[in-house]
Amino acid sequence: MRRQPSRAQWLRRLASRRKDPVAFVFSGGGPLGALQVGAVKALFEAGVEPDLVVGTSVGAMNGTFVAFEPTLEGAHQLEDLWRGLQEGELFPGGRFKASWAKMLVRGDRVFENSGIHRLIDTRLGNAHFEDAEVPLAVVATALESGEQEIFTSGEILRPLLASAAMPGIFPPVEIDGKLFTDGGVANNVPVQPAIDMGARTIYVMDATATSLQRRPLNRPMDYLLHAFALARSQRFMFERNYYSTQGVKLIMVPTEPLDFFVPFASVAHSGMLIDSAYATTTRFLQGTLESEVTTDRSGEITEIRPAR
């Protein structure tokens, strides 16, 4: 009887198959995007590198920085960026709790997106998608129709601002006469765009809040935000089994459930999140973290995910 390769052996084999393009897929997740930074560092240390990158919302930001510098050094630079972030950089104009009153007046945002704009400009300048080292796709949502829009060419600033434009928190962004908002509204874990771009091995870094932490439900607004997070996560849950029928290997990079709550307007926990994800991903890649492996009829691994 032929011995089946170990999960760690499969991972190394899949990563080395240049005929099977490797994609990194980054979900939305607000400040939980710091988890993706730790995971990326562990992947690069293990020799896993992307041939293409797709991201939504905060994942579009992380994915873009990875696509422009797809190396371990680039991962360290991204880590330094996250560890150096201050609260007021992303949410200029005052504390979030003091800004809730803006929800009740006319307008389309609580905060300006000038902080994110400055972050992109400082890091990338007047960059275009074509300047990235590997193909890059950024997901945003058309405000009027709710359809996803996949940006893969042209200037990168406005698609990134659109992808990260949390509804009601940051302003929608106009691109070619259309308004766009947070990509997570339409597709929070954008696996299908990666498949459409030719990926056959896909590392999914899902920082979806509902899968990692439970929001304290004390006020009506808590219930509203929790319900919105649940709605964003459902598409991927329903579609995940479908992806395995398309001839792709889906590798769910695991993240341990959090024993603390991270407010979506806070980056105070970034260092802890990076360290946690790095340790968990390293254990997973080394084969010391228990996982479930789903195979197709030929014995090919089609999905790898942490055991429940």
Side-chain angles (χ1 to χ4, degrees):
M1 180 176 174
R2 186 166 60 92
R3 184 180 179 184
Q4 293 293 323
S6 70
R7 174 167 57 84
Q9 290 172 324
W10 267 109
L11 290 171
R12 288 194 292 271
R13 186 179 303 175
L14 294 178
S16 66
R17 290 181 181 176
R18 295 299 94 182
K19 65 179 181 179
D20 293 336
V22 174
F24 283 4
V25 169
F26 298 84
S27 77
L32 295 180
L35 293 164
Q36 297 169 345
V37 180
V40 163
K41 184 170 73 168
L43 286 168
F44 277 115
E45 284 187 354
V48 181
E49 300 176 354
D51 296 307
L52 61 98
V53 173
V54 183
T56 289
S57 197
V58 69
M61 301 283 291
N62 285 335
T64 295
F65 294 149
V66 168
F68 272 74
E69 187 62 57
T71 64
L72 180 58
E73 175 59 30
H76 287 309
Q77 293 174 10
L78 182 60
E79 179 182 10
D80 290 342
L81 185 154
W82 271 89
R83 289 186 185 275
L85 282 177
Q86 303 297 318
E87 302 281 302
E89 289 184 72
L90 299 183
F91 300 94
R95 292 177 57 83
F96 184 74
K97 289 183 179 180
S99 302
W100 273 115
K102 295 182 180 179
M103 288 284 192
L104 305 178
V105 300
R106 293 178 65 87
D108 59 10
R109 87 288 304 268
V110 171
F111 294 104
E112 300 299 329
N113 60 13
S114 56
I116 299 178
H117 188 300
R118 189 179 307 110
L119 184 65
I120 298 169
D121 187 60
T122 300
R123 185 69 181 245
L124 299 175
N126 188 31
H128 287 61
F129 282 88
E130 291 81 2
D131 299 324
E133 292 294 323
V134 297
L136 167 68
V138 167
V139 180
T141 303
L143 186 61
E144 184 173 344
S145 67
E147 296 178 350
Q148 71 174 0
E149 184 83 15
I150 313 298
F151 293 94
T152 59
S153 63
E155 64 97 14
I156 206 167
L157 173 62
R158 299 190 71 78
L160 277 182
L161 290 175
S163 185
M166 291 182 285
I169 305 302
F170 293 121
V173 177
E174 182 177 344
I175 303 175
D176 295 331
K178 294 175 61 177
L179 287 176
F180 293 93
T181 191
D182 196 308
V185 174
N187 193 351
N188 195 52
V189 189
V191 170
Q192 189 61 52
I195 296 174
D196 293 340
M197 293 171 68
R200 288 298 173 263
T201 299
I202 303 174
Y203 288 81
V204 181
M205 281 157 274
D206 184 6
T208 304
T210 53
S211 65
L212 302 174
Q213 63 178 4
R214 174 64 182 267
R215 168 178 287 275
L217 301 178
N218 300 317
R219 302 164 300 172
M221 186 57 69
D222 296 327
Y223 284 88
L224 175 63
L225 293 175
H226 180 63
F228 176 64
L230 287 174
R232 293 204 316 171
S233 68
Q234 289 305 299
R235 172 171 176 165
F236 182 61
M237 292 177 62
F238 283 119
E239 291 186 351
R240 191 162 62 183
N241 290 333
Y242 167 71
Y243 297 139
S244 65
T245 70
Q246 297 193 359
V248 300
K249 290 108 178 159
L250 199 64
I251 301 170
M252 302 300 300
V253 179
T255 301
E256 302 284 356
L258 304 178
D259 58 4
F260 56 93
F261 179 71
V262 181
F264 87 91
S266 173
V267 294
H269 300 86
S270 295
M272 295 173 58
L273 296 173
I274 291 170
D275 293 339
S276 173
Y278 173 75
T280 300
T281 305
T282 298
R283 288 167 53 210
F284 177 68
L285 295 171
Q286 292 174 344
T288 59
L289 181 67
E290 184 180 1
S291 69
E292 296 174 356
V293 177
T294 303
T295 64
D296 60 20
R297 293 180 181 178
S298 69
E300 287 284 310
I301 292 181
T302 57
E303 183 176 357
I304 304 173
R305 58 187 175 185
R308 298 295 182 184

